[in-house]
Amino acid sequence: MDRRDFVKIGLAAGAVAGGVSAKTLGTGGILDAGVWEQQQMMEAGKLTSHSLTSQYLARIKTIDKSGPRLNSIIEINPEALKIALEMDRERNLKRVRGPLHGIPVLLKDNIATGDRMSTTAGSLALAGVRAARDAHVTAQLRAAGAVIIGKTNLSEWANMRSTNSVSGWSGRGGLTLNPYSLDRNCSGSSSGSGAAIAAGLATLAVGTETDGSIVSPASICGLVGIKPTLGLVSRSGIIPIAHSQDTAGPMARSVADAALMLSAMAGVDPKDPVTSESVGKVGDYRAALDKGGLKGVRIGVARNFFGHLPELDAVIEKALLDLKAQGAVLVDTEVPNVGKYGDSETEVLLYEFKTDLEAYLKEYAPNAPVSNMADVIAFNQKHQQQEMPYFGQEYLEQAQAKGNLESPAYKEALANNRRYARAEGIDQVMKQHQLDALVAPTGGPAWLTDFINGDHFVGGFSSPAAVAGYPHITVPAGHVHGLPVGLSFVGAAYSEAALIRMAYAYEQATLHRRAPQFPPSVSLAVR
């Protein structure tokens, strides 16, 4: 398939998908639109990438840096407009690279860019440190024609710093606010990516997840988030927590946009050997945009992830009725053994964080003032007022105390995770009931940000897929007191195409997403 075919197929998929219709663009107009609408206007000569990028940069100034001051963008790419002009020049020469050609994209600030921007994971220890080269996913997006316009704020060190952390806060970036209620949390760790796309500050964003860091902020910010199968998207050049669970993934305002982005991000990378396992298993995610995608599929309702909040359960019960109305066969069930890998998951993350961070710093940030976990801990201790005004660094200290990856304790914990999350977890329940997917609430609505008590999550369906390394998609399912909540679709390894098909059919049948209005708080009278 050459690039022209890729463009034609991508645009055809968009025509079927419809993306975000003109009636639902909200106050942001073309800036709240999706890839298909923006590409249509550029193809018609009514919009340029330079103009689109300029409008997003102006909106960032208006909404992110002033007005409600969401604080979701940690750094603007000083070369964004130059890149956009180049994409326009290529378009004029009929050299369109694909559906993302000229489309503005934000990257989470733990994804390396070999340009004038820093890559810091939100830590002042890496402030001003430029990566030696692009992460593989950054290079993939550039090759697809995306315009990288900036980096998003995040929970510092991807929320693997403190046992009492506040999601969306970093020493370098401060606190990201939730556009649906400014006093509430965006969840994390891809907080800035979630808030920015919800607020229409770019067309697309990349998040990263170890456990919940894409799907939770996507759900809370009324977005579609895709946590891919481990190895579908390369992790090389991404500041790590743990190679056994880390992955990057799309965050977008529609399933169609997320699917197009995933197609561009996926690919084998020799520097990330696990990606070789995806050969022959990557689906055609554009072709999966089928409004009839729920007909005849068997979906297990993971009932052991219900019961945390009556209002949330009511929204998801309505979603189940919508799934049935679209032809899905629902089977009440439970994901087994979910209580058997909580402690071992943390153990694995601590071991791998220490080892993987040192490897990243050596390869991508050799001139940084820190070169390992011990250095980061010492930096934070020296700069306590800036780095630890609200919470400490217990996870960093616990990770530093661990041995290497040859430790029997590490190997035992990893084996435990894979046994109970995979073979005796998701695999078991799906085989037993002959399921195509599992569904449950992604999590509860946004909580009030609290710098004294830290985060307080309600529910959460991320861990089974995260620990197993299996795909997970969240789609807007409705609102609780005006706050978005999501419906999760989880499947077996490399079942992204099937999950996208289901998620797209559900999204198109319900169209729950509403653009945020940036209220200072929400009224409890609103359901």
Side-chain angles (χ1 to χ4, degrees), residues 43 126 130 150 188 197 226-227 255 270 272 306 385 424 477 494:
E43 286 292 320
L126 293 176
R130 297 179 183 176
I197 299 306
I226 301 180
K227 196 285 289 186
V255 175
D272 187 356
F306 286 65
Q385 187 173 358
E424 296 181 34
Y494 299 104

Side-chain angles (χ1 to χ4, degrees), residues 241-386:
I241 290 179
H243 61 266
S244 64
Q245 292 183 206
D246 289 350
T247 183
M251 299 177 73
R253 291 184 289 272
S254 71
V255 175
D257 284 0
L260 290 172
M261 193 179 197
L262 184 61
S263 294
M265 294 169 66
V268 174
D269 175 16
K271 289 187 173 297
D272 187 356
V274 74
T275 60
S276 64
E277 298 175 12
S278 70
V279 174
K281 300 173 184 175
V282 179
D284 184 348
Y285 306 124
R286 299 153 295 167
L289 301 174
D290 176 7
K291 289 184 179 180
L294 283 166
K295 292 179 181 177
V297 299
R298 289 179 60 84
I299 296 178
V301 181
R303 287 293 176 184
N304 49 332
F305 289 89
F306 286 65
H308 296 285
L309 186 69
E311 295 92 337
L312 174 62
D313 285 351
V315 169
I316 302 303
E317 291 294 346
K318 174 61 170 63
L320 298 180
L321 294 177
D322 292 329
L323 294 175
K324 290 179 69 174
Q326 295 302 307
V329 177
L330 303 187
V331 180
D332 276 355
T333 187
E334 293 188 353
V335 181
N337 296 316
V338 294
K340 293 184 178 180
Y341 48 82
D343 292 341
S344 59
E345 178 189 10
T346 302
E347 187 81 350
V348 166
L349 301 191
L350 292 171
Y351 270 100
E352 293 186 1
F353 191 18
K354 178 183 178 180
T355 298
D356 294 354
L357 177 61
E358 184 171 350
Y360 170 88
L361 293 171
K362 181 178 181 180
E363 184 171 358
Y364 285 87
N367 299 317
V370 293
S371 59
N372 53 42
M373 186 72 71
D375 288 349
V376 174
I377 292 169
F379 178 93
N380 290 342
Q381 290 171 339
K382 185 176 179 179
H383 300 86
Q384 285 191 42
Q385 187 173 358
Q386 297 83 15

Side-chain angles (χ1 to χ4, degrees), residues 320-489:
L320 298 180
L321 294 177
D322 292 329
L323 294 175
K324 290 179 69 174
Q326 295 302 307
V329 177
L330 303 187
V331 180
D332 276 355
T333 187
E334 293 188 353
V335 181
N337 296 316
V338 294
K340 293 184 178 180
Y341 48 82
D343 292 341
S344 59
E345 178 189 10
T346 302
E347 187 81 350
V348 166
L349 301 191
L350 292 171
Y351 270 100
E352 293 186 1
F353 191 18
K354 178 183 178 180
T355 298
D356 294 354
L357 177 61
E358 184 171 350
Y360 170 88
L361 293 171
K362 181 178 181 180
E363 184 171 358
Y364 285 87
N367 299 317
V370 293
S371 59
N372 53 42
M373 186 72 71
D375 288 349
V376 174
I377 292 169
F379 178 93
N380 290 342
Q381 290 171 339
K382 185 176 179 179
H383 300 86
Q384 285 191 42
Q385 187 173 358
Q386 297 83 15
E387 274 289 354
M388 297 193 288
Y390 306 116
F391 49 87
Q393 54 179 345
E394 299 87 359
Y395 279 139
L396 301 185
E397 292 165 351
Q398 291 172 25
Q400 177 59 26
K402 297 297 181 184
N404 61 36
L405 301 188
E406 294 302 314
S407 165
Y410 164 72
K411 293 181 177 180
E412 181 180 342
L414 183 61
N416 185 80
N417 289 352
R418 290 175 173 170
R419 173 184 176 184
Y420 289 118
R422 294 179 182 177
E424 296 181 34
I426 293 174
D427 294 347
Q428 178 176 311
V429 68
M430 292 190 70
K431 182 178 180 180
Q432 179 183 353
H433 297 284
Q434 298 181 315
L435 302 175
D436 298 295
L438 294 160
V439 297
T442 307
W447 58 90
L448 289 168
T449 295
D450 184 349
F451 280 104
I452 296 175
N453 298 304
D455 289 336
H456 36 100
F457 296 89
V458 175
F461 187 44
S462 64
S463 290
V467 178
Y470 290 175
H472 181 168
I473 300 178
T474 182
V475 182
H479 299 80
V480 173
H481 298 298
L483 300 168
V485 292
L487 176 69
S488 283
F489 294 80

